[in-house]
Amino acid sequence: MNARTPTLRAALLGALAAMAAALPGAAAAAEQDEIIVQSTTSTANSGFFDQVLPQFEARTGIKVKVVAVGTGQALRNAANCDGDVVLVHAPRAEADFVAKGLGVRRHPLMSNDFVIVGPAADPAGIAGMRDAAAAMARIAAAGAPFASRGDDSGTHKAERRLWRAAGLDPDPATDRWLRELGAGMGATLNAAAGMGAYALTDRATWLAFANKADLRIMVEGDPRLLNHYGVILVNPARCPNVNAKAGQAFIDWLLSAEGRAAIAGARVHGAQLFRPAEPQEKTR
Amino acid sequence: MSEPASRPAAEQAAAPLSGPACGRPAGARAADRPAEPTRAAAARDPWPVRLDRVSVRRGGRAAVDALTLRLDPGGVLALMGPNGAGKSLTLRLLAGLIAPDEGAATWAGRPTPPRGAVGVVFQRPALLRRSTLGNVTHALALAGAPRRARRARAMALLAQAGLTHRADAPARALSGGEQQRLALARALACAPALLLLDEPTANLDPRATAQVEALLREVCAQGVTALVVTHDAGQARRVADEVAFLHNGRLTERTPAREFFARPASPEGRAYLEGRLLL
Amino acid sequence: MQEFTDAFGAAFALLASGDPELAEIVGLSLRVTLTAVAISCLVGMPLGALLAIARFPGRGAAAALLNALMGLPPVVVGLATYLLLSRSGPLGALGLLYTPAAMIIAQTILTLPLVAALTRQTIADLHAEHDETLRALGAGRWATALTLLHDGRFALTTAALAGFGRAAAEVGAVMIVGGNIAHATRVMTTAIALETARGELALALGLGMILLGISAAVNLAAMALRARAERAAHV
């Protein structure tokens, strides 16, 4: 039976070899100085990190690993100590995160703005409006389809603020034109393109988004559409696994002149993605 | 063909096939057999094999009904009877494959057969997806035969079964008769004292049947005791020394074969041989 | 339809350019999935065989549970693995979250029930055929299990391939526990999800085609090996 049944033995050997091959990869990761940044899809999908991180890594040798999820999930993951730095865009939730002792301190980092996009046909007639809340009210009045993130992300929070500013509280259960997707920004834009719906998106994602179909920017420039990003070191006193030194180095670099220049220099199709925040009074 | 005559395997093919081949028999464990430490063969002897008023219930009725049967070394016993008489169940009881619901099955007074002492051949050979040789060496491995001894022993068994030239062929590609001879060789792997065969030729043509019967006669001539379940009266006539007739789970008679076919003692046996319906 | 043409173009361009990032992603995908399937086979096949062979109270319930676990959504497995491996979870100290090891663990949890359940079915059929013969030959439970696993080895390649298919296609679990980190835990399916989110539909579809090609290649290789082994002797 031995010489004649090579298959089982070969399969076993193959399996062992595969496992052996898998182990070094897992082990090697721990040796290098690295941090995990819990961040949002808007920063990752727009290519922002792809342009900024290599500069930091070249300068410090610290490797930055970005997990891109919604702001809500990024903060929850960080609350579980699964990450060293949070880089998100929901100032109120971030303040809450720090107040609970989960993060050390929120540093205003950068901003861009939200835009309301919609189909070229513009059934609600909002193209060119400056008042975002009024535009949202008009969409609701027209019953024109609106694709909502519905995922407790920073963008979703911003959208709900706009509905409230318009004096509305639409409910997807009864207001059928409001389509809550429970999806990321890209998936929501894909759906909006497919349904001919309006949507609120951050400009960075929009600029980099390739499947615009006949979606156009309808409303921009309202101060309420400003989108602020903050960066927070996860509290090492609470999460001993946090690489505080490298994490703080990353934050310090982002806030430095070099980091701010890197942020300002990140572009897609020639357009600037984010504006660095004004330097604060010296942090810490 | 694949086995040059000069190889040790071929030399051993001529060696007697009786005697323990399967490593340490279960009975050799000191606790089991403190009295006779030397004679390994004796430790594996199942004699007498006894069923004492055993019953097996199947579907609410006694398929084997307070049956008493004793087997001693020597000869071939044919177990005959109509369908549903309980022949196959009786064979499984004797093999220790099923436990009686009532009564006791014993081997040399013990409740289980000594390891390797009873070989079984079923109606369907149930061969593994291995080579012909591999089926026998694997049986030897299962029985605990030392690795070095398996191949030679298996080749000897295949030689006896007339399958040497098919040793490397896939077992499932053998003809029906070859498959059943292989099943027989496999059952003989541990040189059992008792060989139980359940309708071994029911699916075979006359020529293949004759070959299996010839092999069986040869094995028995070497000292193996056999019990054959069959409803082929011709087969019983050809191979059996004795006939036990079973009807409704009961033994109606146990008679020397010549006598049974001349003058069955029980009315059931007579009716069966005359082709009458048994109720 | 334009998307499909573009996707073909994108797939071809990626392959033709010999993009090192693509090679990295494909390599990690194969490493994670094949390792998970190998572990699932090493553990799940003996487990399935014993479930088919052993008689014990609760055996039916165990088989039903196994079948139910086959239908677990990858996201649920990913979430459960995340909670286990999270720094604040019971295994957090291992620091495995967002590593390939975490992805292997999640995919093992995902594929093991499938491999075990399919093995159980295969071995149960073989057991019905061989049980008496093997017991008559003196085989115990483990020997019977190993004998039947060997006897069913060709049929069992199907179980392994089913596990591979489930692992190679899933995105929910590896996304959560791997994090889709560039150059660290990005695999084919998470890359496809990312390109979809970026609206790069043709590229996403092109990656999907490459994934399909890899899956087909693995299946063909397994089938060819199986056919060769079957021809070699045993049938």
Side-chain angles (χ1 to χ4, degrees):
Chain A
M1 63 186 266
N2 302 324
R4 238 165 293 282
T5 57
T7 43
L8 200 65
R9 187 154 309 174
L12 282 174
L13 286 176
L16 290 174
M19 279 182 342
L23 287 175
E31 289 162 18
Q32 202 182 358
D33 202 7
E34 63 176 37
I35 54 171
I36 288 174
V37 175
Q38 290 282 353
S39 190
T40 73
T41 49
S42 54
T43 44
N45 292 6
S46 62
F48 168 76
F49 280 126
D50 293 340
Q51 297 177 53
V52 171
L53 294 184
Q55 299 178 47
F56 170 71
E57 292 175 359
R59 159 74 56 158
T60 61
I62 298 169
K63 175 143 180 55
V64 181
K65 292 177 159 181
V66 177
V67 177
V69 288
T71 290
Q73 198 189 335
L75 289 171
R76 273 193 299 278
N77 287 349
N80 287 335
C81 303
D82 296 321
D84 306 287
V85 171
V86 200
L87 198 168
V88 292
H89 60 127
R92 195 169 302 171
E94 293 162 43
D96 201 36
F97 185 79
V98 172
K100 281 185 189 151
L102 303 171
V104 175
R105 170 174 180 172
R106 175 184 189 273
H107 303 275
L109 178 66
M110 60 189 187
S111 64
N112 67 352
D113 61 342
F114 292 111
V115 294
I116 300 174
V117 298
D122 192 19
I126 62 168
M129 288 176 72
R130 298 281 296 184
D131 183 334
M136 297 291 266
R138 209 179 277 185
I139 291 169
F146 186 96
S148 166
R149 291 281 293 272
D151 65 347
D152 197 31
S153 60
T155 305
H156 188 218
K157 289 180 208 284
E159 176 204 321
R160 284 205 307 249
R161 279 199 301 277
L162 286 176
W163 291 125
R164 277 199 301 277
L168 294 170
D169 184 19
D171 178 356
T174 47
D175 301 310
R176 305 308 298 268
W177 50 269
L178 181 65
R179 315 261 166 90
E180 275 204 353
L181 297 166
M185 193 69 255
T188 302
L189 285 175
N190 279 325
M195 299 188 295
Y198 294 94
L200 182 71
T201 173
D202 65 282
R203 193 182 290 270
T205 302
W206 173 253
L207 285 171
F209 188 69
N211 181 36
K212 294 191 174 81
D214 76 334
L215 294 180
R216 305 277 183 276
I217 292 182
M218 294 288 158
V219 178
E220 58 186 326
D222 186 323
R224 281 172 295 194
L225 288 176
L226 272 180
N227 179 22
H228 297 282
Y229 287 76
V231 63
I232 307 171
L233 180 69
V234 179
N235 190 353
R238 206 179 140 270
C239 300
N241 62 290
V242 165
N243 188 345
K245 194 156 157 283
Q248 189 61 49
F250 180 56
I251 293 173
D252 290 344
W253 180 83
L254 283 173
L255 299 172
S256 72
E258 187 182 329
R260 297 177 73 246
I263 291 169
R267 276 157 210 281
V268 60
H269 306 312
Q272 184 176 343
L273 288 170
F274 297 97
R275 249 178 352 155
E278 290 307 310
Q280 305 285 299
E281 77 288 4
K282 192 68 185 144
T283 53
R284 299 162 61 96
Chain B
M1 300 299 102
S2 62
E3 198 59 34
S6 61
R7 293 270 297 269
E11 284 162 30
Q12 292 208 5
L17 290 172
S18 56
C22 296
R24 194 180 304 268
R29 268 181 259 119
D32 282 359
R33 198 174 51 81
E36 25 175 16
T38 46
R39 285 181 54 236
R44 293 162 20 92
D45 272 353
W47 313 117
V49 177
R50 294 180 56 173
L51 301 180
D52 272 317
R53 299 193 53 78
V54 298
S55 297
V56 177
R57 304 200 182 285
R58 288 289 186 267
R61 82 184 183 97
V64 174
D65 191 0
L67 177 73
T68 295
L69 184 68
R70 176 183 169 123
L71 301 181
D72 288 294
V76 177
L77 175 66
L79 190 58
M80 301 190 68
N83 286 337
K87 304 186 298 291
S88 289
L89 284 174
T90 302
L91 177 132
R92 281 159 176 76
L93 284 165
L94 292 168
L97 288 172
I98 56 172
D101 294 314
E102 286 162 34
T106 56
W107 294 260
R110 295 208 177 91
T112 53
R115 192 170 178 186
V118 180
V120 189
V121 175
F122 296 97
Q123 181 174 342
R124 285 181 26 217
L127 299 172
L128 296 171
R129 286 170 182 79
R130 295 169 186 260
S131 66
T132 300
L133 177 64
N135 267 273
V136 183
T137 53
H138 187 67
L140 285 161
L142 288 177
R147 181 179 290 271
R148 285 167 291 101
R150 287 177 209 158
R151 185 182 166 86
R153 169 80 186 162
M155 285 308 293
L157 288 159
L158 289 185
Q160 184 179 40
L163 292 171
T164 304
H165 65 294
R166 303 290 271 150
D168 291 323
R172 293 189 162 224
L174 300 181
S175 72
E178 287 173 330
Q179 289 201 13
Q180 203 55 291
R181 297 208 309 273
L182 172 55
L184 200 67
R186 180 177 62 183
L188 292 169
C190 289
L194 172 62
L195 187 61
L196 303 170
L197 304 97
D198 190 4
E199 307 273 11
T201 59
N203 298 336
L204 302 184
D205 65 22
R207 187 174 124 81
T209 299
Q211 288 173 328
V212 170
E213 287 174 3
L215 178 56
L216 177 61
R217 269 194 297 272
E218 187 185 329
V219 166
C220 291
Q222 290 173 344
V224 176
T225 306
L227 176 141
V228 188
V229 167
T230 180
H231 40 213
D232 177 351
Q235 179 164 68
R237 222 187 279 262
R238 289 190 296 274
V239 301
D241 303 304
E242 249 190 320
V243 173
F245 193 84
L246 215 54
H247 182 232
N248 285 343
R250 294 203 180 113
L251 203 62
T252 66
E253 65 175 296
R254 181 169 175 177
T255 326
R258 195 181 302 270
E259 212 170 294
F260 178 81
F261 289 109
R263 263 178 293 101
S266 62
E268 290 88 353
R270 197 174 311 128
Y272 182 78
L273 285 182
E274 290 167 3
R276 281 190 280 121
L277 198 63
L278 277 168
L279 297 176
Chain C
M1 269 355 275
Q2 181 62 34
E3 258 85 16
F4 285 92
T5 330
D6 291 351
F8 270 117
F12 187 78
L14 268 174
L15 291 172
S17 69
D19 183 14
E21 193 171 353
L22 177 70
E24 186 186 342
I25 291 173
V26 167
L28 184 63
S29 289
L30 284 176
R31 201 179 95 194
V32 166
T33 297
L34 290 177
T35 308
V37 171
I39 297 171
S40 288
C41 288
L42 284 177
V43 178
M45 286 185 174
L47 187 72
L50 280 184
L51 264 182
I53 289 165
R55 301 280 179 272
F56 57 90
R59 177 169 166 268
L65 178 69
L66 208 54
N67 285 331
L69 287 175
M70 277 203 295
L72 262 188
V75 174
V76 173
V77 172
L79 192 57
T81 311
Y82 167 76
L83 292 173
L84 279 176
L85 298 182
S86 166
R87 284 290 179 175
S88 51
L91 302 178
L94 299 175
L96 291 178
L97 192 67
Y98 304 134
T99 67
M103 301 158 82
I104 290 168
I105 290 169
Q107 291 205 331
T108 302
I109 296 172
L110 204 58
T111 53
L112 198 146
L114 180 64
V115 171
L118 292 176
T119 301
R120 193 192 68 79
Q121 192 53 56
T122 300
I123 298 301
D125 293 346
L126 287 174
H127 190 234
E129 183 184 353
H130 292 283
D131 174 37
E132 284 196 320
T133 303
L134 290 173
R135 280 201 292 135
L137 290 170
R141 199 169 281 175
W142 260 113
T144 300
L146 292 177
T147 299
L148 295 183
L149 281 172
H150 180 270
D151 208 53
R153 58 201 180 279
F154 302 120
L156 291 177
T157 52
T158 307
L161 286 176
F164 175 80
R166 181 156 157 88
E170 74 88 20
V171 59
V174 287
M175 182 68 96
I176 295 175
V177 303
N180 189 28
I181 298 169
H183 307 297
T185 57
R186 184 161 297 163
V187 291
M188 287 300 282
T189 53
T190 59
I192 290 168
L194 175 63
E195 293 309 336
T196 306
R198 281 177 169 160
E200 300 282 1
L201 301 191
L203 182 55
L205 202 54
L207 286 170
M209 287 172 181
I210 294 172
L211 179 59
L212 181 67
I214 294 166
S215 281
V218 168
N219 273 273
L220 281 174
M223 291 305 186
L225 268 176
R226 171 182 164 162
R228 216 184 67 182
E230 272 181 302
R231 263 199 314 277
H234 316 280
V235 178

